[in-house]
Amino acid sequence: MKKVLFLYPLREYMQILHDNETIELMKATIDKRYRQKGYEINYLVFPDKNIIELDAYEQDKIIETDITFEAHTTPIQQDKEGNSIYKYPDNMYIQAQLGELDELVVCGFHADDCVRKTADFFTNQSIDVLVDLELTDFFRIYKQFPTFQKEKYNFANLLQNLKAQDQFYGFSKRLKERKIEDLFQESYYQKNNFKPTISIAKLVTEMEKQENKFKK
């Protein structure tokens, strides 16, 4: 069975999207990209924060973690570098609530933390996992890319946009010379399953046009 697991659509996290128009677009994207294509939508919440900020249809499911939001967001200790360490929900508890599945799309908050950890767990359970990066806290940025489509996720086009921005704005120096490709090596990005539909050169040309408009 095909399922989507959207992590923590809570007000505390959704406010990063800034405005209602962006939230409405995210709702429409979830619906067109997955719900209308036969995916079961599962929203994961904390038991003390069970009011979600996204539409839950009758066929959708709202499942809970084994720990509270307060427990998750309160540091339990620090590592040797002085960084705070937090407690995370039990993924086996989440899996039990999801039930049988052979394909799982993981998205929500946050792309570089809980989404990665959850995707890692389910990948290790021999489940076909895809992280939809557009439907994460980066949605407010990625929705502005010229290749963004509500109906379809194309990771290859997302990479093309990031590479074009890297080339045009010089993001590599900010990333300490790390290549864009190096950031997405995990299997759950399914890099080899997507093909770009636009060239980096064309995207850079579009960026130049936009830049010239702002200068006028």
Side-chain angles (χ1 to χ4, degrees), residues 45-62:
V45 297
F46 297 93
D48 57 336
K49 293 280 185 179
N50 58 4
I51 299 176
I52 70 172
E53 297 292 315
L54 289 171
D55 291 337
Y57 287 44
E58 186 177 353
Q59 67 267 35
D60 299 343
K61 292 185 178 179
I62 299 176

Side-chain angles (χ1 to χ4, degrees), residues 15 18 24 27 40 48 87 96 115 161-162 175 187 207:
Q15 63 187 4
H18 297 311
E24 289 301 317
K27 291 177 181 179
E40 178 186 277
D48 57 336
K87 184 176 182 179
V115 170
N161 279 283
L162 292 174
L175 294 170
S187 63
M207 291 177 188

Side-chain angles (χ1 to χ4, degrees), residues 95 120-127:
Q95 184 181 23
D120 269 327
F121 170 81
F122 281 98
T123 298
N124 290 333
Q125 307 305 306
S126 300
I127 293 168

Side-chain angles (χ1 to χ4, degrees), residues 16 18 21 30-31 34 53 58 81 113 118 122 131 133 140 163 170 177 179 182 202 206:
I16 199 173
H18 297 311
E21 183 179 348
I30 293 170
D31 186 49
Y34 296 112
E53 297 292 315
E58 186 177 353
E81 286 74 38
D113 189 13
T118 304
F122 281 98
V131 168
L133 275 173
R140 68 195 189 280
K163 290 175 184 177
E177 304 305 324
K179 296 179 181 179
D182 294 341
K202 187 172 182 179
E206 290 299 317

